[in-house]
Each structure stands twice: as structure tokens, then as C-alpha cells.
Amino acid sequence: MTGYLIGNKIIIQDEKLANSIFSRGHYGNLEKAQLHLSLIEALYLVENGKLDVVDGRKKELSYDSFLRRANRLEKRFYVRYNVYRNIRKRGYITKTALKYGADFRIYDRGDLPGKKHARWVLFCVSENESFDWKKFASMNRVAHSVKKNLLVGIVDDEGDVTYYEVQWKRP
């Protein structure tokens, strides 16, 4: 299956294929019989042998060349990708949460977007990034305002991810 890199999205134009990918893993968004994937979703599918990506010059991009391109197009791409890949491999459906000011929304196993609400809002952080209390308080406010649990995924230098779930406690 082939997707076309257009700007910072990958578009799958084959309607049957688009519907198949969307229904099997809830990747991307269906728009006018096309599937629009984020760079992170597309790289995950490339890594797992489910997608080939072609750029505007009709050149197929390898995993490494696509990763380099995505790193140039999106800030903190590789940190976010490590968390996305890890959480997807654990069986969770992961969708973007940019409208919330977070990196991802995470659905409980078995829950489907559109039928259930996400359980967590996830922020991705590199162990090398500064992380102060103001940022932490901001993350908590976002999660609380959208009625989701806060999940912070911290990526170490080897690409391993450690998760911390933060929950509100009333005294």
C-alpha cells in the first residue's frame, strides 16, 4: 500500500485501502474517501511493513529517509514517535491531542474513538528536557479540564519509555 507525502501529512488515496487501515487500527482521519495520516502514524506503519511512502517527486522513502524528513518537519518528532510506538505496541489506540495542548489521547484497550472517550491525555518528554513545576501544573490543568487522567511518557537516551500516571486526589 502506498501513501503520498504532502506537506506534513501522508495521504492514502485508494478508498478501499483507506477504509481498511482506518477500521483495523483507527489510524488517521478519513476525509472524502481518503485517509490522512500524521507523520508519526505513517512512520509506525512504514516500520511495521504496512505502508510505503512516496514523496512529491515520486520517490519512495526508506524508513531512515522518512524519519530524517519527519524530524525536520516536526519539532520533537523522535521523542513523540518513541512514545507513540511504545504505547501502540501495548495495544492502545492513540490519537493526536493537539487541540488539548497535549501530544496524544490514549483510549483504553477495546475502546474505540467516537464510541468511547479517551481515558488519558499523554505528554511526551525527553529525559534531557527541562521539566519544571509550571509545566507540570499546566499539564495537570489540561488533563483536568478535559476530564482525562494525565499520563507523562519520559523517553530516555536509549529510546525506552517510562510512564507516570497522575491522578487528582481531594483532601
Side-chain angles (χ1 to χ4, degrees):
M1 90 182 90
T2 301
Y4 298 92
L5 176 62
I6 300 172
N8 64 347
K9 289 184 181 181
I10 308 306
I11 297 176
I12 297 175
Q13 297 172 332
D14 181 292
E15 182 176 1
K16 185 177 177 183
L17 187 58
N19 285 320
S20 173
I21 293 170
F22 182 78
S23 65
R24 276 191 275 147
H26 289 274
Y27 296 99
N29 297 310
L30 286 172
E31 298 178 23
K32 299 180 183 173
Q34 296 180 337
L35 185 63
H36 292 227
L37 299 169
S38 70
L39 296 174
I40 286 175
E41 291 169 318
L43 185 63
Y44 183 76
L45 292 170
V46 168
E47 182 178 18
N48 289 290
K50 309 274 188 209
L51 179 68
D52 296 319
V53 174
V54 175
D55 70 5
R57 297 181 306 265
K58 308 287 185 208
K59 178 184 172 194
E60 187 173 325
L61 300 173
S62 68
Y63 172 86
D64 291 331
S65 62
F66 182 51
L67 176 59
R68 282 190 301 275
R69 179 100 42 111
N71 274 320
R72 286 192 305 268
L73 291 171
E74 286 186 13
K75 184 179 176 185
R76 301 176 52 255
F77 178 83
Y78 196 64
V79 169
R80 293 174 60 244
Y81 179 69
N82 273 297
V83 173
Y84 179 88
R85 176 179 55 204
N86 183 277
I87 205 91
R88 268 289 186 169
K89 285 185 177 182
R90 292 172 183 252
Y92 294 94
I93 292 177
T94 307
K95 303 298 275 181
T96 185
L98 291 176
K99 68 181 177 181
Y100 301 134
D103 291 304
F104 301 110
R105 292 171 286 147
I106 310 297
Y107 293 81
D108 248 338
R109 289 186 185 107
D111 288 354
L112 300 176
K115 297 190 188 280
K116 296 268 186 162
H117 292 284
R119 180 173 177 185
W120 296 278
V121 61
L122 172 61
F123 289 85
C124 307
V125 180
S126 167
E127 72 176 352
N128 299 316
E129 287 180 56
S130 63
F131 189 82
D132 62 17
W133 287 106
K134 286 183 182 178
K135 184 173 181 177
F136 184 68
S138 174
M139 292 174 177
N140 271 293
R141 281 194 307 275
V142 168
H144 185 69
S145 70
V146 296
K147 298 178 181 163
K148 304 197 182 326
N149 292 338
L150 172 60
L151 194 60
V152 179
I154 299 178
V155 181
D156 66 20
D157 288 337
E158 290 79 34
D160 296 324
V161 184
T162 303
Y163 297 96
Y164 295 93
E165 182 177 17
V166 180
Q167 296 178 344
W168 287 88
K169 295 287 184 188
R170 293 183 191 237

